[in-house]
Structures are given as structure tokens and as C-alpha cells.
Amino acid sequence: MEGRLKRIFMGLLLSFLGMSIKAQNPPKPTIPLEELIERLFAVQDEDLDYESIYEVLFQLYQNPIDINEADAEVLQATYLLSPHQVSELLNYRNQHGKLISLYELQAIPGFDLQTINQILPFVQLNQASKNQQSFWKRVSQEEQAYVLFRSRRIWETRRGFTAPDTSSTGALSTRYLGDPNDLYLRWRIQHPRDFSMGMTLDKDAGEQFIWDRPTARYGFNFVSFHLTRYQVGKWKTISLGDYQASFGQGLVFGAGYALGKGAETVPTIRKSSFGILPYTAALEFGFFRGLGATYIYKDWEFSLLSSYAPRDGRIAESLDSLSQEELTVSSLNQSGLHRTVSELSTKNQLKELSLGANVQYRHPSNRLTVGVNYLLTEFDHEWIRNPTIYNQYEFQGKNNQIASMYVNYNWKNFFLFGETARSISGGMGTVIGFVSSLHKQVDLSFLWRKYDKDFHTFYGNSFAESTRPINEQGSYLGLEIRPSTPWKLNFFYDFFRFPWLKYRVYAPSKGYEWLARVTYRPNRTIQAYLQVREEQKDRNIPDSGEPSLAYQTSALTRFNGTLNLDYQVNRNLSIRSRIQWSQIYHLNEKNPGFLILQDVKYGGENWKLTARYALFDTQDYDSRIYAFENHVLWTFSVPAFFGQGQRYYLIGEYDLSRKITVYGRIARTSYTDREQISSGLQTIEGNTQTESTFLIRYFINR
């Protein structure tokens, strides 16, 4: 007891010197989501739905964890603490009991001020029990209740919005059915660990704003809703409407996102069992619609999931042996776009029934978790793909079943994890790995995965080089070294191979990827880093017409580099300077790319301005460069720059009152190497593209 009092006294003394104590707990800072996203997604290389990933992470961080109750699984899931820090926190609690103040974090070995400042927005102490008011009374008085409306538009005219042409046969060419406005409306009320309810409505540019029940268009093209309750007696979670699920390493239930490879080379390879989460993104697939619930009995958790949801698909007619017409699905439409007659004809063309379950056991020591998953997915039409040379082992039919078993074990500074699954096709998927602190300054991670070419999972999203866990084997090694306070070194190497053919790779292939990053942060106002990355994959050689060269492949190597400096000039002003470059090697050709940008942020108590100016010059699309952009509230942008030109934007934010905040953004890209932008119905006749965004948020109960 005496030792603990000394630790608390030292923690309070340090807090007085470094933070100026005003209460039992430090003031709750705002969630630095922009900084967090930049850290977790420092590598942008594919057309991923970052906004959906952003939504899931935002939900997790909107529900602060109780630092006194969280186990190793929950603490690791934040991606904010190293294995050494998690282990030290658990040991501290075991030896000294629960923390009495968040300032006491400074008494835990391995927790410095930088770490504490980083985690404060996401933790709380001794979570208060729900008040005795009725549920609906709590809902009506909740401060985190808001309505949000967002409007976006490209101002140059795309071909899809022009008058249709008439062909020689008198037929009119295809055009978009709706206007160029992108509209988004959200209503949300939530309280951490108590309840969440809301509705999301979305209309993409080119879609009609129309009330049409046969096509499920109720003004907006997409409508999503949810009601989720937490900790209702023995029920941990009850979710009605749209929801997601995450258990194990994501082979069966992947919650629609995976962080995978990035500048955080150690913690992000491991997924955590978040359980059932409300779905709030505008992506029109990858979620369940129905009822999901988790029940707690002692050290066991039992989850049941049921869903019956419409899905977009291309319906075709086929003839059986008795010459009877039968409807089949040839492809699923996962774009969520319904701008033309053809796209609209795919909307809600099939129904998907999903029945799933999870059983999870957590040892009283909070160091061992074991679980099993099961999911049945059934369509009302048979899925028969258009045959190609590479999709022979993809899913076909009406019914898919998949089951898995997973285990997580925390042994000293090692987080061991694994999951293996089998689909009804007989295909297997396996993920095994660990995250460890070899030393308080050295973290290491390793992951091995193997997905058969006939492994079928519709809601899996485990660690993979490809966008889906299928037809892949690989090994990943990650390392983080902190030699001294201002310096941090990150490195990973990933080797992978694809035993069967892939799109644009008509032969078994292999490849690798590595990344190295050096970060220097001497104080809270300056941060600089240098990052280099190389990736090599095989690709088909263009067909020369000679039979002897058919389906031959060659290696394509992509090299990227980033030099970045962030400087907080004062409380109101910060700047960022960055240089990015790329080099593509393929068939003895070199295609370079270059991007330079300057950001400036300036703000006062109730307003903020953010501006960027960027110049880019790349040889072609293969040498494209991705760059994260600031945007209006809860909106994500990671454009790909290719060609030659400049891009600039200005964002304004202003609090009109405690209830109302407005945001505006204007962005423009000007090209110097073309007089036409994009292709098909997206074509713009000209060399500029201008986008505006307006958003207003209204808090109901403030």
C-alpha cells in the first residue's frame, strides 16, 4: 500500500508540473481523428472505402473504455498502446488495485506524457452506472444528439448530365437519370455504453431524388437505420436494424474494415473481437440488416445474428433441360451507384438471408479468449458467374456456409492470436501470429496466413494483400524501435504468393512489399518523418498477338517515398510541408511520379480555416500518388494523383452557436496535360474539376 501511495503521489506531482491539476481527472481533449487517420493510413495504395473504415473506428473511439475494467483484448484493440504498456497496465492493476485517477497512469512503467496525452480522449475511469431514469427519458436528454446534412457537387458538367445523342437507328444514348448533387443526411443519438440510434440517408451524384417504392427509393437512394442497446441486464448488446460484427481475426465476421499494412507496423495486423456494432456508413453492402444480440453468462458470451437484406445484382435468364426460364445472378453490384437505367436495373434484385452465431469464452485472468463462429448465407437466386480464365474456383450457387475457431492469448509481453475457418466448398483459411514487446523500446509482430483458392467468405475481412481473403499465402514481419524519446523507427516486410490465377495475372504468381519509416519528434510542436516503400507484383504482359506469348507475366515494381514536416507554430497556427515521389519499373521502363504540397491551418476559439496547395507530375496511372486530404466533419478523401497539374482546397469551420456548426469546402484540380478529364459518362470536357462541399450539424439537446 505504501508503495502505491508513493506512486500516486509522484503521479500527482508530475501532473501538477506538466498538466496543471484542476480536477480528479484531466480535462477530456477532443478526439484527434485527423492525426489518428494519418497515422493508421499513412500508406494509401488501393481504392478502399476509407470512409467506411473511418466510421467504424469513430464508433469505437466514441465509446471510451474503462481503464479499470478493460482486458488485454480491449486495450490492444485501440492501437494506441504497445504490448509492453498493456502488460505493465495489467500488472499494475493486479498489484495495486484499480486506478483512482487518470493522473495515476504516469506511475505505470512505460507510460510517458506523450502516451498519456495520446490515449486520454479514448479512456475513462470508473464508468458510472446508468442513472435511474427511464430509457426514453435518457434518450430525450442526451447531449450527443444531432442532425447532420451534407451536400457535395462537381461543378463542371460531366457527359452523363448532357442531352443524349441519337444513334443511326434512332436510339438515345445512355445518360444519368438524376442531378449532379450528392446529398447525405444523418440523425444520431448515442451515449457511450448505453445506447445508439440513428438513420443515414444518401443520394449519389447522378441518382434521382424520387419516391419510388418498387425500387426502394424514398427520396434518397439509400436508407440505413439502427437501434442498439448496451448492458441491458445480462445482454451485452442488442442491435436492431443495420449492424456489423467482428469476432476473431475476421475470417467469418470482419466488420467491414481491416487496417492491415501501414506506417504503424506492429499493432494493426491483429484484429480484435469488438462484437456487434451499429452500422452507420453509407456503403450499400457489407452489413447485416435484422437483429443481432450478445448475452453474457459468467465468463461466456453468446451472440446470435439474423439478417434478411436486399442486394444489388445483375439478373440473367437461363434455360434448364426442360426449356423453362430460370432467373440467375451473374454478378453483384457493389458500387452502390444507381445513376443509369442499367445500374438501376440491378438494385435490390436478390435477397440475402444470413444466420450466424458466435460463442466466446474469456478466462477470469483476462489473458485467454477462445471462440467459435458460424455463418450461413443464402440467396433467393442462384449465382452463376460469367466464366473467365481466373474465376473457376469462385463461389457459385445459392448457399454458403462457413465456420471457424479462434484463440487469443496474452503471455507476458506476447499477444498470440490465430483463427482457422472452413467454407462449405472445403476451402480453408488460416491466420496465425503474435504481437510482442521484446523490450520496452522494441516491438515485434509476425503474421502467417493461408487462404485456399476455393475459400469463400462474404463478410470476412482478415489480413491480406488482396482485397479479399482468397487464393493467397504470405508471411508478414513488423518491427518498431524507439531508441530515444524523439526517434521512432518502423519497418515491415511482407512476402506473398497467389497459387491460382488472378485478375490481370493469368499464372500463379508471387510478390513482396516492404516499408521503412523514420520519425523524429523532439517536442509536441514539431514532427518530421521519412518513409520509403517498395512493392513488387506480377502482371500480364500485353498480348502481342503471338501465340507463344499468351498469358505470360512479368514483375511490376512500385517504389514510393515521403518526406514530411509538421510544425505547430502556436496555439492557432500549424503548417505541414510534404514531398512524395514514386517510381514504377515494368518491362524495362521507368515511370516516375512527384507530388509536393503545403498545408496551413489557422483558427480561433469558434472558427478554423484549413488550406492546401499541391503540385503533381506523374508519368501514368501506374505511377499515381495518394495523399490524404482534410475535409468537412466525418468526411474522408484520399484522391489518386496522376498526370500533371495542381490541386488546392480551402476548408472553413464556424460555430454559429452551441447547437449549430457549419463547414464549407472548395477544392479544384487543374491539369496541364489534358483537355478532357475521366472517361465514359464521367467525362468532363476541359482541364479543370471543381468540387464544393457544405455541411451543417445541429445538436438537438444542447
Side-chain angles (χ1 to χ4, degrees):
M1 184 67 181
E2 181 180 354
R4 188 185 184 208
L5 290 175
K6 289 182 179 178
R7 288 175 180 268
I8 296 174
F9 175 77
M10 290 302 297
L12 293 175
L13 180 61
L14 288 170
S15 302
F16 178 79
L17 296 174
M19 295 183 180
S20 67
I21 298 173
K22 295 181 180 179
Q24 180 187 10
N25 291 320
K28 194 76 170 179
T30 58
I31 298 176
L33 273 180
E34 290 179 2
E35 178 183 338
L36 185 69
I37 295 299
E38 274 277 303
R39 182 171 64 85
L40 294 178
F41 299 107
V43 176
Q44 298 103 25
D45 187 45
E46 302 291 344
D47 291 330
L48 299 177
D49 186 67
Y50 291 100
E51 195 156 346
S52 179
I53 301 172
Y54 181 96
E55 279 287 336
V56 175
L57 287 173
F58 182 75
Q59 285 187 55
L60 296 175
Y61 294 134
Q62 281 291 90
N63 291 276
I65 64 174
D66 187 339
I67 201 72
N68 278 328
E69 301 295 335
D71 58 17
E73 175 81 2
V74 173
L75 293 169
Q76 192 279 335
T78 64
Y79 305 116
L80 300 171
L81 298 175
S82 70
H84 172 72
Q85 291 169 328
V86 171
S87 182
E88 289 289 356
L89 173 57
L90 295 177
N91 291 336
Y92 186 88
R93 282 190 346 211
N94 290 335
Q95 294 175 14
H96 305 293
K98 294 183 177 181
L99 281 69
I100 62 175
S101 167
L102 287 177
Y103 288 121
E104 194 178 345
L105 288 170
Q106 293 174 92
I108 301 175
F111 279 68
D112 53 21
L113 284 176
Q114 181 176 330
T115 299
I116 296 171
N117 288 327
Q118 182 174 268
I119 68 172
L120 278 180
F122 312 116
V123 299
Q124 59 185 1
L125 192 64
N126 297 330
Q127 179 178 329
S129 60
K130 300 176 187 176
N131 60 46
Q132 299 304 311
Q133 293 180 323
S134 68
F135 169 68
W136 292 111
K137 186 71 172 179
R138 300 198 304 273
V139 170
S140 65
Q141 296 179 352
E142 175 56 45
E143 284 195 359
Q144 288 297 319
Y146 63 85
V147 177
L148 180 150
F149 174 75
R150 184 186 70 199
S151 173
R152 292 191 288 188
R153 176 170 180 156
I154 301 295
W155 288 96
E156 289 78 10
T157 302
R158 297 191 185 275
R159 183 177 296 166
F161 298 108
T162 62
D165 302 321
T166 304
S167 68
S168 58
T169 61
L172 296 178
S173 58
T174 300
R175 290 295 185 265
Y176 294 146
L177 299 172
D179 60 67
N181 295 303
D182 180 334
L183 305 177
Y184 176 90
L185 180 66
R186 171 193 277 185
W187 163 72
R188 185 86 182 269
I189 300 177
Q190 69 170 24
H191 187 83
R193 309 301 174 187
D194 188 1
F195 62 84
S196 173
M197 62 177 66
M199 179 175 290
T200 300
L201 303 96
D202 180 67
K203 183 198 86 73
D204 294 309
E207 295 178 338
Q208 285 179 297
F209 194 87
I210 187 174
W211 191 278
D212 184 45
R213 293 189 64 184
T215 56
R217 291 181 293 171
Y218 306 101
F220 293 87
N221 182 77
F222 175 68
V223 178
S224 176
F225 58 92
H226 77 273
L227 169 60
T228 302
R229 294 288 310 277
Y230 302 99
Q231 299 174 346
V232 182
K234 292 291 186 178
W235 294 94
K236 178 181 179 181
T237 309
I238 302 174
S239 191
L240 179 68
D242 295 344
Y243 64 93
Q244 294 179 299
S246 174
F247 296 103
Q249 294 307 305
L251 289 177
V252 179
F253 299 109
Y257 83 103
L259 297 181
K261 293 180 284 189
E264 288 296 318
T265 53
V266 173
T268 56
I269 67 165
R270 179 185 182 274
K271 292 179 69 72
S272 295
S273 295
F274 298 120
I276 294 173
L277 300 167
Y279 181 76
T280 59
L283 195 65
E284 298 184 27
F285 69 96
F287 60 90
F288 299 107
R289 175 166 290 179
L291 177 65
T294 299
Y295 184 81
I296 300 177
Y297 178 74
K298 295 183 179 179
D299 298 319
W300 294 82
E301 292 184 5
F302 303 89
S303 299
L304 293 176
L305 301 88
S306 62
S307 171
Y308 189 68
R311 299 297 184 214
D312 293 354
R314 184 71 61 186
I315 299 296
E317 292 184 355
S318 63
L319 297 177
D320 63 15
S321 58
L322 299 178
S323 299
Q324 294 179 329
E325 291 186 355
E326 182 179 348
L327 296 179
T328 62
V329 181
S330 59
S331 63
L332 293 184
N333 175 16
Q334 296 186 335
S335 69
L337 299 173
H338 306 98
R339 303 163 298 181
T340 65
V341 173
S342 176
E343 291 176 348
L344 188 59
S345 68
T346 69
K347 184 173 175 62
N348 296 353
Q349 289 300 299
L350 68 156
K351 299 296 189 295
E352 178 192 279
L353 172 68
S354 298
L355 298 174
N358 168 267
V359 179
Q360 182 172 280
Y361 169 77
R362 179 173 287 112
H363 192 271
S365 67
N366 286 328
R367 295 185 180 274
L368 172 67
T369 303
V370 180
V372 293
N373 294 312
Y374 171 79
L375 178 63
L376 162 70
T377 304
E378 186 170 283
F379 301 100
D380 61 344
H381 296 304
E382 188 172 12
W383 191 350
I384 301 178
R385 297 177 182 271
N386 296 321
T388 65
I389 192 172
Y390 61 86
N391 71 0
Q392 300 176 35
Y393 294 95
E394 292 279 1
F395 171 81
Q396 295 196 78
K398 278 188 174 183
N399 176 293
N400 185 57
Q401 298 180 55
I402 182 172
S404 76
M405 178 177 180
Y406 63 88
V407 60
N408 301 314
Y409 183 61
N410 174 217
W411 177 68
K412 296 185 178 180
N413 289 337
F414 281 82
F415 289 160
L416 307 169
F417 59 89
E419 182 177 12
T420 186
R422 185 180 188 272
S423 60
I424 196 173
S425 63
M428 300 287 294
T430 302
V431 174
I432 299 173
F434 68 83
V435 177
S436 172
S437 286
L438 303 180
H439 183 272
K440 64 179 181 180
Q441 296 171 309
V442 180
D443 297 337
L444 177 71
S445 64
F446 174 79
L447 182 142
W448 177 85
R449 75 272 190 189
K450 183 178 184 294
Y451 312 123
D452 291 344
K453 59 181 180 294
D454 58 345
F455 176 62
H456 303 144
T457 174
F458 290 114
Y459 290 90
N461 201 2
S462 55
F463 187 99
E465 170 62 23
S466 304
T467 55
R468 296 181 299 133
I470 186 173
N471 182 35
E472 180 177 325
Q473 299 177 22
S475 298
Y476 172 98
L477 181 67
L479 184 68
E480 180 176 305
I481 303 174
R482 299 172 296 276
S484 60
T485 300
W487 293 95
K488 185 171 73 169
L489 311 176
N490 291 87
F491 175 81
F492 78 71
Y493 183 86
D494 187 37
F495 174 80
F496 44 82
R497 65 187 187 93
F498 310 107
W500 183 244
L501 318 184
K502 292 169 58 69
Y503 175 66
R504 297 184 70 181
V505 188
Y506 292 167
S509 60
K510 61 183 179 180
Y512 65 85
E513 181 179 1
W514 63 265
L515 175 144
R517 175 166 172 156
V518 180
T519 303
Y520 177 67
R521 188 168 187 172
N523 51 55
R524 296 184 63 181
T525 64
I526 297 177
Q527 176 175 285
Y529 68 81
L530 172 65
Q531 176 178 294
V532 291
R533 169 175 168 263
E534 183 177 271
E535 179 187 49
Q536 184 179 102
K537 291 181 181 178
D538 289 343
R539 180 183 292 184
N540 286 346
I541 295 176
D543 188 0
S544 66
E546 298 182 19
S548 61
L549 295 180
Y551 304 141
Q552 289 197 2
T553 62
S554 67
L556 183 147
T557 303
R558 178 180 286 113
F559 183 87
N560 298 93
T562 303
L563 180 61
N564 184 91
L565 172 64
D566 289 294
Y567 179 45
Q568 185 77 37
V569 180
N570 53 47
R571 181 179 178 182
N572 298 323
L573 176 64
S574 65
I575 60 175
R576 168 179 295 161
S577 303
R578 178 180 295 175
I579 299 173
Q580 294 181 232
W581 64 94
S582 66
Q583 186 82 48
I584 305 299
Y585 304 91
H586 190 224
L587 298 176
N588 298 320
E589 293 184 0
K590 295 181 181 180
N591 296 326
F594 183 84
L595 169 71
I596 182 170
L597 63 85
Q598 180 65 55
D599 288 350
V600 178
K601 295 182 182 180
Y602 186 74
E605 184 175 344
N606 61 348
W607 63 275
K608 183 168 66 175
L609 291 174
T610 303
R612 167 175 292 182
Y613 180 76
L615 291 170
F616 58 92
D617 184 353
T618 72
Q619 191 75 16
D620 54 20
Y621 184 72
D622 278 337
S623 55
R624 64 192 179 278
I625 297 176
Y626 291 88
F628 170 84
E629 292 187 344
N630 299 106
H631 217 297
V632 301
L633 183 69
W634 302 336
T635 307
F636 215 94
S637 178
V638 187
F641 294 91
F642 61 96
Q644 293 83 44
Q646 59 182 336
R647 179 169 173 83
Y648 43 90
Y649 62 73
L650 178 66
I651 307 170
E653 172 187 341
Y654 185 68
D655 296 328
L656 294 176
S657 65
R658 293 185 70 249
K659 286 177 172 282
I660 302 175
T661 304
V662 294
Y663 303 79
R665 184 182 192 259
I666 186 77
R668 190 172 211 193
T669 305
S670 299
Y671 294 92
T672 59
D673 64 337
R674 69 195 72 176
E675 293 301 324
Q676 186 182 86
I677 301 175
S678 196
S679 60
L681 296 183
Q682 291 289 89
T683 300
I684 294 174
E685 297 295 340
N687 67 340
T688 61
Q689 178 174 307
T690 308
E691 176 189 6
S692 67
T693 306
F694 171 77
L695 184 145
I696 182 169
R697 179 182 58 176
Y698 174 74
F699 280 99
I700 299 172
N701 295 325
R702 286 190 178 180

